[in-house]
Amino acid sequence: MRITRAGWAVMTVLSLFIVAISAKYFSFDPSTFFRHQRATYLSHQLPLYLHVFGAITALAVGPWQFSRRLRERHPRLHRRTGATYLLACLVGAIGALLLAPVAYGGAVTGAGFACLAVAWLVTGGAGLRAVLDGRVADHRRWMIRSFALTFAAVTLRLMLLAATASHLDFRTSYTAIAWLCWVPNLLLACWFTRTRRPVAQV
């Protein structure tokens, strides 16, 4: 199974759209914060900005790592943007782990986001180890799994939009979405990478 050009384009457009929306946090205007967490964010601004900066950077550069043209024609650029992606994941995950205990919705919500952050670190670390060992195919598999977790930033917002449009209880929906925004993504990525066939080239 391969990512089609159309699929890659949709993934990239959605990723960049969320990057543009999330960049509002760097206006440092509290009115742009998630209203249910505004007071919490104001008292936890360092982890908030670590998470936002890391997440939007990973979301912005991640899709380009799946471009075969980039890998073949500009391997040095591919390596540099890959390093940027992994560093961004590290920073974003640290911020997420610091924010998880005070997540809106309580312990179940916080556990969902904390597990997402840990999975983000594990997949990125495994991808880095694989490429350093020269296991390129394994590296690609792990990076697909890593970006599936990064893409949770997109699926979370799409799910929140659907929940709001359906007039569901927001707190309950948010707690469920803390898990649903990434677990299906990861399961799909694991299924997608389950064989030794070539993966994720556009």
Side-chain angles (χ1 to χ4, degrees):
M1 186 175 182
R2 299 164 70 94
I3 295 177
T4 64
R5 288 183 181 272
W8 179 83
V10 170
M11 176 184 74
T12 303
V13 168
L14 286 174
S15 296
L16 295 180
F17 179 67
I18 296 304
V19 167
I21 290 176
S22 301
K24 68 183 180 181
Y25 279 87
F26 290 102
S27 68
F28 300 101
D29 180 358
S31 68
T32 65
F33 293 173
F34 176 39
R35 66 183 181 87
H36 298 282
Q37 281 282 84
R38 189 168 295 142
T40 301
Y41 285 170
L42 283 171
S43 61
H44 296 79
Q45 290 191 57
L46 178 58
L48 171 66
Y49 286 112
L50 285 175
H51 176 61
V52 172
F53 177 76
I56 66 174
T57 301
L59 200 59
V61 304
W64 308 103
Q65 293 304 98
F66 298 107
S67 170
R68 181 174 59 185
R69 180 178 299 179
L70 177 67
R71 290 197 304 271
E72 292 179 350
R73 297 186 180 181
H74 305 285
R76 183 175 297 180
L77 178 60
H78 174 74
R79 289 192 295 270
R80 288 178 177 175
T81 54
T84 299
Y85 172 82
L86 288 172
L87 181 59
C89 289
L90 174 62
V91 171
I94 290 172
L97 287 171
L98 292 173
L99 288 172
V102 294
Y104 174 76
V108 176
T109 305
F113 289 134
C115 288
L116 168 56
V118 170
W120 209 12
L121 291 171
V122 169
T123 54
L128 177 61
R129 177 63 182 269
V131 77
L132 291 177
D133 290 345
R135 294 180 285 112
V136 175
D138 287 339
H139 167 70
R140 291 178 183 172
R141 290 185 177 88
W142 281 110
M143 297 317 295
I144 288 172
R145 296 162 189 166
S146 173
F147 190 73
L149 296 170
T150 301
F151 201 72
V154 176
T155 50
L156 180 144
R157 285 160 180 80
L158 292 177
M159 288 179 176
L160 286 177
L161 183 62
T164 300
S166 301
H167 304 289
L168 299 176
D169 178 73
F170 186 82
R171 187 182 183 92
T172 302
S173 299
Y174 192 76
T175 298
I177 290 169
W179 294 89
L180 293 174
C181 70
W182 67 272
V183 173
N185 290 13
L186 182 58
L187 291 175
L188 181 61
C190 288
W191 176 82
F192 185 81
T193 59
R194 72 193 186 285
T195 70
R196 303 295 297 183
R197 290 177 292 178
V199 295
Q201 296 186 4
V202 295

